[in-house]
Amino acid sequence: MKHTKFLFLTKEIVEYGQEGIPHGLINSVKFIIKKLQELNVSSNHISVTDHSLIDSHIVQHKPENVIIEALWITPYELHQLSLKHQNVNFIVRLHSDAPFLASETDSVYYIRKYLKYKRRGNKISVASNDKRLVEDLCGIFGKKSIDYMPDIYDI
């Protein structure tokens, strides 16, 4: 099987009896994948119900890069995946600006832990689609600690 350059992962949310994925995340991923495929860069999107399903998708698709859309995988779980798949770059991509991120209880803790694993040599990084958030988080966690990965819009 041909390997995938980028594997985008979203978490399927089951809330109040309704299943789904936040529409903004799905649209963001769809636009990026469309552009990557136009450039002949292999990419896929998988929605999982929890982190335990990620490993099998990595084995199946053999990605070089796994983009985890939003903060939903614990730092420890991501660390374990990065140890098992040492040739894969894992990127947690944030979609919120600072006030919304602040309202997510574990967000700063998760980001701090992801970056701690990165400093230890794991192929884990954090990115945001919001330039202001990148600047704010770099002010907290250090220069160049957070990457900028903008959305791509189909116009």
Side-chain angles (χ1 to χ4, degrees):
M1 173 180 230
K2 180 182 163 186
H3 81 279
T4 301
K5 184 86 170 173
F6 292 95
L7 179 62
F8 291 84
L9 296 174
T10 52
K11 182 175 183 187
E12 189 170 322
I13 299 169
V14 178
E15 194 172 282
Y16 303 111
Q18 296 182 8
E19 297 181 17
I21 304 160
H23 296 290
L25 290 179
I26 290 298
N27 289 337
S28 175
V29 171
K30 283 181 180 179
F31 292 148
I32 291 171
I33 287 176
K34 181 180 178 191
K35 181 52 77 176
L36 289 170
Q37 289 175 345
E38 286 173 4
L39 298 169
N40 293 317
V41 177
S42 60
S43 55
N44 258 320
H45 168 243
I46 304 291
S47 175
V48 296
T49 52
D50 68 56
H51 74 278
S52 66
L53 303 172
I54 296 173
D55 180 60
S56 63
H57 290 295
I58 292 173
V59 170
Q60 178 185 355
H61 294 279
K62 299 173 182 45
E64 292 178 29
N65 305 281
V66 171
I67 315 296
I68 298 166
E69 298 288 333
L71 287 170
W72 57 270
I73 184 169
T74 70
Y76 178 77
E77 293 159 350
L78 187 56
H79 172 65
Q80 293 302 307
L81 282 168
S82 73
L83 292 175
K84 186 169 184 178
H85 302 282
Q86 294 185 10
N87 293 325
V88 175
N89 298 307
F90 292 90
I91 303 161
V92 178
R93 187 166 175 254
L94 308 174
H95 287 262
S96 301
D97 58 11
F100 288 102
L101 193 64
S103 69
E104 294 182 36
T105 309
D106 294 324
S107 62
V108 173
Y109 171 77
Y110 276 25
I111 294 167
R112 185 180 311 279
K113 292 294 276 187
Y114 295 145
L115 295 175
K116 180 179 177 183
Y117 289 129
K118 178 182 179 178
R119 285 190 304 275
R120 289 183 177 173
N122 294 86
K123 290 184 169 184
I124 295 173
S125 58
V126 179
S128 175
N129 66 348
D130 185 297
K131 278 186 178 182
R132 289 178 303 176
L133 183 61
V134 170
E135 292 170 8
D136 291 343
L137 292 176
C138 285
I140 296 168
F141 297 112
K143 276 188 170 185
K144 299 184 182 182
S145 58
I146 309 294
D147 298 313
Y148 178 56
M149 290 183 71
D151 288 323
I152 298 173
Y153 296 100
D154 191 19
I155 299 175

